[in-house]
């Protein structure tokens, strides 16, 4: 495991070689196949997970079986930082959307790292602040936006985080099913299909069997009600 790899992860950026070596010594590597539950809501934490490769979804289950996707995460994103302080129980579940690999650091080991590398504490605070802003945004969208607008907003947020320029558009490199997008936006699968087809026909997005490409961001923004 090379320190250079760790240095490319946002959580560990700007750490010097000695500090990166300290982090490296605390890491174990875990791999999961597609469709595997990494951990469940309510389970006792075994530390933080840093995505090295692959995509995952973070979700919560209602007692009646309904599922709400909270986030779709990819390389460099961190899971489990909420349980570093306070409760030892997972606040949400995580499932792989494709084969995925993680760096795992136990809770106690990460606390030791924070004690020895104060810069990490600031990074964790920044991550928690970002999670809070994302949660507030989701609440606002559920309360104030209609169903089609929530689908469009989800696409735009995904393009902002993961979008890659391609052929005069911004391609979202996630293989999202209509069902997965519906769980993220908090709407029915039928609504997602209807909205995507409409946007495709109007040439605001382009759909293939693998990905969605944003073609006209400004027009999409104007469709949000």
């Amino acid at each position: 495991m090379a320190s250079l790899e760790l240095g490319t992860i946002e959580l560990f950026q700007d750490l010097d070689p000695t500090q990166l070596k300290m982090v490296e010594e605390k890491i174990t590597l875990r791999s999961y196949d597609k469709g595997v539950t990494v951990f469940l809501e309510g389970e006792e934490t075994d530390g933080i997970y840093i995505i090295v490769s692959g995509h995952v979804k973070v979700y919560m289950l209602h007692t009646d079986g309904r599922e709400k996707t909270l986030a779709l995460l990819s390389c460099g994103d961190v899971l489990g930082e909420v349980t570093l302080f306070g409760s030892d129980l997972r606040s949400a579940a995580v499932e792989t959307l494709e084969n995925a690999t993680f760096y795992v650091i136990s809770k106690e080991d990460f606390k030791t790292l924070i004690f020895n590398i104060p810069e990490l504490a600031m990074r964790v605070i920044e991550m928690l602040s970002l999670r809070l802003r994302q949660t507030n945004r989701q609440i606002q969208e559920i309360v104030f936006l209609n169903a089609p607008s929530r689908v469009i907003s989800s696409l735009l947020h995904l393009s902002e985080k993961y979008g890659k320029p391609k052929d005069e558009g911004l391609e979202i490199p996630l293989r999202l099913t209509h069902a997965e997008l519906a769980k993220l936006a908090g709407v029915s699968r039928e609504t997602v299909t209807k909205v995507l087809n409409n946007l495709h026909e109007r040439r605001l997005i382009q759909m293939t069997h693998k990905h969605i490409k944003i073609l006209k961001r400004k027009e999409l923004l104007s469709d949000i009600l």
Side-chain angles (χ1 to χ4, degrees):
M1 187 186 308
S3 294
L4 178 61
E5 294 175 351
L6 291 178
T8 64
I9 297 172
E10 184 176 1
L11 179 62
F12 304 125
Q13 284 178 353
D14 302 325
L15 298 188
D16 63 40
T18 300
Q19 293 170 326
L20 288 174
K21 183 65 176 178
M22 292 170 62
V23 174
E24 182 180 327
E25 292 172 350
K26 301 295 185 182
I27 283 177
T28 58
L29 190 66
R30 295 185 190 175
S31 296
Y32 297 84
D33 293 333
K34 176 182 178 181
V36 172
T37 299
V38 180
F39 50 76
L40 291 169
E41 178 184 359
E43 284 186 350
E44 187 170 347
T45 182
D46 59 346
I48 67 166
Y49 287 59
I50 302 156
I51 304 173
V52 177
S53 64
H55 296 98
V56 307
K57 68 174 179 179
V58 182
Y59 67 97
M60 299 183 75
L61 278 176
H62 192 272
T63 53
D64 62 8
R66 286 180 296 164
E67 181 181 310
K68 175 64 174 75
T69 299
L70 304 177
L72 299 175
L73 303 179
S74 187
C75 182
D77 287 324
V78 179
L79 304 164
E81 73 279 8
V82 174
T83 60
L84 287 173
F85 311 100
S87 175
D88 285 334
L89 302 181
R90 298 290 189 188
S91 59
V94 171
E95 180 183 320
T96 57
L97 297 177
E98 58 189 36
N99 293 348
T101 302
F102 304 85
Y103 289 154
V104 181
I105 306 176
S106 72
K107 181 174 181 177
E108 291 306 313
D109 280 345
F110 198 82
K111 284 186 174 181
T112 299
L113 288 172
I114 288 177
F115 179 80
N116 292 313
I117 311 173
E119 294 91 336
L120 278 181
M122 289 304 301
R123 290 297 178 112
V124 172
I125 291 172
E126 291 170 359
M127 286 192 301
L128 292 174
S129 177
L130 176 60
R131 291 282 191 268
L132 180 59
R133 291 197 300 273
Q134 291 172 336
T135 300
N136 288 340
R137 174 182 59 77
Q138 288 184 337
I139 293 172
Q140 290 175 338
E141 290 181 353
I142 290 173
V143 172
F144 297 114
L145 298 185
N146 60 28
S149 294
R150 295 206 297 274
V151 175
I152 296 172
S153 180
S154 294
L155 288 176
L156 290 174
H157 287 303
L158 288 173
S159 70
E160 289 172 2
K161 183 173 177 61
Y162 300 114
K164 297 182 178 179
K166 184 177 181 182
D167 299 332
E168 299 182 359
L170 204 59
E171 185 174 82
I172 303 171
L174 302 175
R175 296 188 178 185
L176 285 177
T177 65
H178 289 195
E180 288 296 345
L181 186 54
K183 293 172 185 176
L184 180 64
V187 302
S188 68
R189 184 179 60 80
E190 292 75 16
T191 295
V192 167
T193 300
K194 181 178 179 180
V195 171
L196 292 182
N197 286 339
N198 175 267
L199 297 177
H200 182 73
E201 290 171 2
R202 293 164 57 199
R203 300 183 183 279
L204 302 184
I205 67 171
Q206 183 180 79
M207 293 189 295
T208 68
H209 68 288
K210 291 183 178 181
H211 304 299
I212 296 174
K213 184 192 299 180
I214 304 298
L215 299 177
K216 298 181 180 179
R217 177 180 174 79
K218 290 183 178 180
E219 286 83 347
L220 287 171
L221 283 170
S222 67
D223 269 14
I224 296 179
L225 303 175

